[in-house]
Coordinates of all heavy atoms in Angstrom, one line a residue:
M1 N -25.4 8.5 -14.9 CA -24.5 9.0 -13.9 C -25.2 8.8 -12.5 O -26.1 9.5 -12.2 CB -24.3 10.5 -14.1 CG -23.6 11.2 -13.1 SD -23.2 12.9 -13.5 CE -24.7 13.6 -14.1
V22 N -21.4 11.9 -6.8 CA -21.6 11.5 -8.2 C -20.6 10.4 -8.6 O -19.4 10.7 -8.5 CB -21.6 12.7 -9.1 CG1 -21.8 12.2 -10.6 CG2 -22.5 13.8 -8.7
Q23 N -21.1 9.2 -8.9 CA -20.3 8.1 -9.3 C -20.2 8.1 -10.8 O -21.2 8.4 -11.5 CB -20.8 6.8 -8.8 CG -20.8 6.8 -7.2 CD -21.3 5.5 -6.7 OE1 -21.2 4.5 -7.3 NE2 -21.8 5.6 -5.5
G24 N -19.1 7.7 -11.4 CA -19.0 7.6 -12.8 C -19.1 8.9 -13.6 O -19.8 9.0 -14.6
A25 N -18.4 9.9 -13.1 CA -18.5 11.2 -13.7 C -17.4 11.4 -14.7 O -17.0 12.5 -15.1 CB -18.3 12.3 -12.6
K26 N -16.8 10.3 -15.3 CA -15.7 10.4 -16.2 C -15.9 11.1 -17.5 O -15.0 11.7 -18.0 CB -15.2 9.0 -16.5 CG -16.2 8.1 -17.3 CD -15.6 6.8 -17.6 CE -16.7 6.0 -18.4 NZ -16.4 4.6 -18.6
G27 N -17.2 11.2 -18.0 CA -17.4 11.8 -19.2 C -17.9 13.3 -19.1 O -18.1 13.9 -20.1
L28 N -17.9 13.8 -17.9 CA -18.3 15.2 -17.7 C -17.2 16.2 -17.9 O -16.1 15.9 -17.4 CB -18.9 15.4 -16.3 CG -20.2 14.6 -16.0 CD1 -20.6 14.8 -14.6 CD2 -21.3 14.9 -17.0
S29 N -17.4 17.3 -18.5 CA -16.4 18.3 -18.7 C -16.3 19.1 -17.4 O -17.2 19.0 -16.5 CB -16.8 19.3 -19.8 OG -17.9 20.0 -19.5
I33 N -19.4 19.6 -14.6 CA -19.2 19.3 -13.2 C -19.6 20.5 -12.4 O -20.3 20.4 -11.4 CB -17.8 18.7 -12.9 CG1 -17.6 17.4 -13.6 CG2 -17.5 18.7 -11.4 CD1 -16.2 16.8 -13.5
F47 N -17.2 14.1 -6.9 CA -17.3 13.4 -8.2 C -16.3 12.3 -8.3 O -15.1 12.6 -8.2 CB -17.2 14.3 -9.4 CG -18.3 15.4 -9.4 CD1 -18.2 16.5 -8.6 CD2 -19.3 15.2 -10.2 CE1 -19.2 17.4 -8.6 CE2 -20.4 16.2 -10.2 CZ -20.3 17.3 -9.4
L48 N -16.7 11.0 -8.4 CA -15.8 9.9 -8.5 C -15.5 9.7 -10.0 O -16.4 9.5 -10.8 CB -16.4 8.6 -7.9 CG -16.6 8.6 -6.4 CD1 -17.5 7.5 -6.0 CD2 -15.2 8.5 -5.8
Q49 N -14.2 9.6 -10.3 CA -13.7 9.4 -11.7 C -12.6 8.4 -11.7 O -12.1 8.0 -10.7 CB -13.2 10.8 -12.2 CG -14.2 11.9 -12.3 CD -13.6 13.1 -12.9 OE1 -12.5 13.5 -12.6 NE2 -14.4 13.8 -13.7
R50 N -12.2 8.0 -12.9 CA -11.1 7.1 -13.1 C -9.8 7.9 -12.6 O -9.7 9.1 -12.7 CB -10.9 6.8 -14.5 CG -12.0 5.9 -15.0 CD -11.7 5.3 -16.4 NE -12.8 4.5 -16.8 CZ -12.8 3.8 -17.9 NH1 -11.8 3.9 -18.7 NH2 -13.8 3.0 -18.1

Side-chain angles (χ1 to χ4, degrees):
M1 167 176 54
V22 179
Q23 299 181 26
K26 65 180 178 186
L28 297 177
S29 70
I33 291 174
F47 296 81
L48 291 168
Q49 297 181 319
R50 290 187 179 185

